[in-house]
Amino acid sequence: MRIPSNREFTRITPSAFSYHRFKSYVSDCRAVLLPSFGGPHLLELRSNVQVPQLKPHEVLVHTRAVSVNPLDTRMRAGYGRSIFERLLPLILGRDISGEVAAVGASVTSVSVGEQVFGALHPTAVRGTYTDYAILSEDEVTPKPDSLTHVEASAIPFAALTAWRGLKCTARISEGQRILVVGGGGAVGLAAIQLAVAAGCSVVTTCGSQSVERLLAAGAEQAVDYVAEDVELAVKGKFDAVLDTIGVSETERVGINFLKRGGHYMTLQGEAASLADRYGLAIGLPAATALLLNKQLLYRCTRGIEYSWTYMRADSDGLNEIRKLCEAGKMKIPVHTTFPITQVKEAHEAKDKKLIPGKIVLEFD
């Protein structure tokens, strides 16, 4: 494989781009493949993995850093097998930061040589654990100069997940009260920063190690759910609750804290788990019925809205997240970095909870 230098990248312009031009620059590259579901030992870093042809609205990104998300380790272990098993081997990874190597014929928002960051949608088969990742135009945006590639790669997927719940579902606005259940993780921290930036009052629950960090991020109260009784420590009602934990107890508590007309959103929707358990033909209708029953129950008995929240590509959301990053109002701390050659060790550390914060894989 011949990887061009940065100087060569800058000579390829979107107007001059064609597939033949692209193919002469990179037709294969390194990628981490998952041939079957299971433990970290199954991850294989291979060379000479084919790079597909770009479609008109796609962007080829030369990867500099990708973060390890909980979705990556869950997918590796078999989450979503009802969808992905027939598509093995997979390339995991959602977040990315790097530079544009080539663009499709219809791309106008970014240009070759530009530093970008972004995130793939959750069902992508060819992920970002690769030297050259392919994303749609609305999945990337220019990287803020104030962020390194490592820092930038930790942000998009978590922030877009929080954006989906707070901005698209609950449509939060200035002056509202927001409760983030489980604010210590990346999605919870992003949600706090998004809500604070929107002019909301934010309360969160978290472990003791996260209390000071979440207060510094703008939360008015951070309750240690181990040392304190959340239902006694938190006062008043809320306009929206984002539950990043999503177990029956946090759902009960979150629902009880809502005002009439409020929104409860959980990250732990059951569509994929039910489809994995019973197959797509039975599992997806069962999940739809379960969700509709809960929505009807809570709407009729409490006057609130109930939702399962998932990350989706959103160019408006990604652009807003970029602006918050540029203003210093959005940041997800990175705890540890690994070279991509140690991807197995990174996943093992995450599985064993040896590293409490964000892990980022760096590419040379």
Side-chain angles (χ1 to χ4, degrees):
M1 179 187 71
R2 177 171 175 261
I3 299 177
S5 67
N6 288 343
R7 181 175 300 173
E8 289 175 305
F9 278 145
T10 61
R11 292 206 300 267
I12 310 174
T13 62
S15 59
F17 172 79
S18 69
Y19 173 57
H20 298 290
R21 179 70 165 167
F22 157 70
K23 190 174 181 180
S24 70
Y25 271 75
V26 56
S27 58
D28 56 71
C29 67
R30 292 182 307 170
V32 177
L33 297 185
L34 179 69
S36 60
F37 298 118
H41 67 283
L42 293 171
L43 295 170
E44 299 178 5
L45 179 60
R46 297 184 190 175
S47 58
N48 303 318
V49 176
Q50 183 179 5
V51 178
Q53 178 180 352
L54 283 184
K55 296 175 183 177
H57 289 283
E58 290 182 333
V59 178
L60 181 71
V61 179
H62 188 195
T63 309
R64 298 303 185 188
V66 300
S67 75
V68 178
N69 284 296
L71 180 62
D72 300 344
T73 57
R74 292 178 71 190
M75 283 179 62
R76 190 210 68 230
Y79 177 76
R81 68 171 60 244
S82 58
I83 300 171
F84 295 115
E85 191 159 29
R86 72 195 69 151
L87 302 173
L88 291 168
L90 304 177
I91 299 176
L92 299 176
R94 294 296 173 264
D95 284 315
I96 189 169
S97 186
E99 61 192 34
V100 178
V103 297
S106 300
V107 172
T108 59
S109 61
V110 295
S111 57
V112 171
E114 192 168 7
Q115 307 292 306
V116 296
F117 74 134
L120 282 165
H121 58 89
T123 57
V125 175
R126 191 182 192 279
T128 58
Y129 288 13
T130 174
D131 285 326
Y132 288 90
I134 296 176
L135 296 89
S136 67
E137 183 179 12
D138 62 358
E139 291 174 329
V140 296
T141 193
K143 180 184 74 67
D145 292 337
S146 58
L147 297 179
T148 66
H149 284 299
V150 167
E151 292 169 334
S153 72
I155 295 170
F157 193 83
L160 282 169
T161 303
W163 173 275
R164 184 74 185 174
L166 296 181
K167 292 285 193 171
C168 299
T169 301
R171 299 184 181 277
I172 62 171
S173 59
E174 185 175 359
Q176 290 187 322
R177 295 192 78 214
I178 311 300
L179 174 63
V180 178
V181 179
V187 175
L189 177 57
I192 291 168
Q193 293 173 95
L194 283 171
V196 169
C200 298
S201 169
V202 182
V203 174
T204 187
T205 65
C206 59
S208 58
Q209 72 279 5
S210 300
V211 169
E212 293 303 321
R213 176 161 54 89
L214 300 187
L215 291 173
E220 295 186 0
Q221 182 183 12
V223 179
D224 179 352
Y225 60 81
V226 175
E228 300 180 69
D229 185 326
V230 172
E231 292 177 281
L232 295 177
V234 176
K235 308 298 182 184
K237 296 288 187 178
F238 295 85
D239 297 284
V241 173
L242 179 64
D243 185 354
T244 73
I245 309 299
V247 297
S248 57
E249 178 63 11
T250 58
E251 180 174 314
R252 181 191 67 79
V253 171
I255 293 291
N256 286 339
F257 274 124
L258 275 175
K259 300 175 181 177
R260 290 190 68 84
H263 289 262
Y264 172 86
M265 299 152 290
T266 176
L267 301 187
Q268 308 303 326
E270 298 187 53
S273 59
L274 288 174
D276 289 346
R277 189 180 309 166
Y278 300 113
L280 289 172
I282 296 175
L284 287 183
T288 300
L290 175 62
L291 176 59
L292 290 174
N293 285 338
K294 281 197 171 188
Q295 288 175 330
L296 183 61
L297 171 65
Y298 288 131
R299 195 173 294 149
C300 292
T301 60
R302 295 178 177 268
I304 63 172
E305 299 298 321
Y306 177 96
S307 303
W308 294 345
T309 293
Y310 306 95
M311 179 272 189
R312 291 186 184 177
D314 185 323
S315 58
D316 291 337
L318 189 56
N319 286 331
E320 183 63 28
I321 289 162
R322 172 178 53 80
K323 291 175 183 177
L324 290 175
C325 292
E326 290 172 340
K329 296 180 180 180
M330 172 66 66
K331 189 169 185 180
I332 307 295
V334 174
H335 189 284
T336 305
T337 63
F338 288 82
I340 189 61
T341 53
Q342 294 181 14
V343 62
K344 294 179 183 179
E345 290 83 349
H347 270 241
E348 184 175 1
K350 205 65 181 171
D351 281 358
K352 295 181 177 180
K353 303 185 187 303
L354 300 177
I355 297 173
K358 264 286 185 181
I359 293 176
V360 167
L361 301 171
E362 291 189 272
F363 288 70
D364 49 30

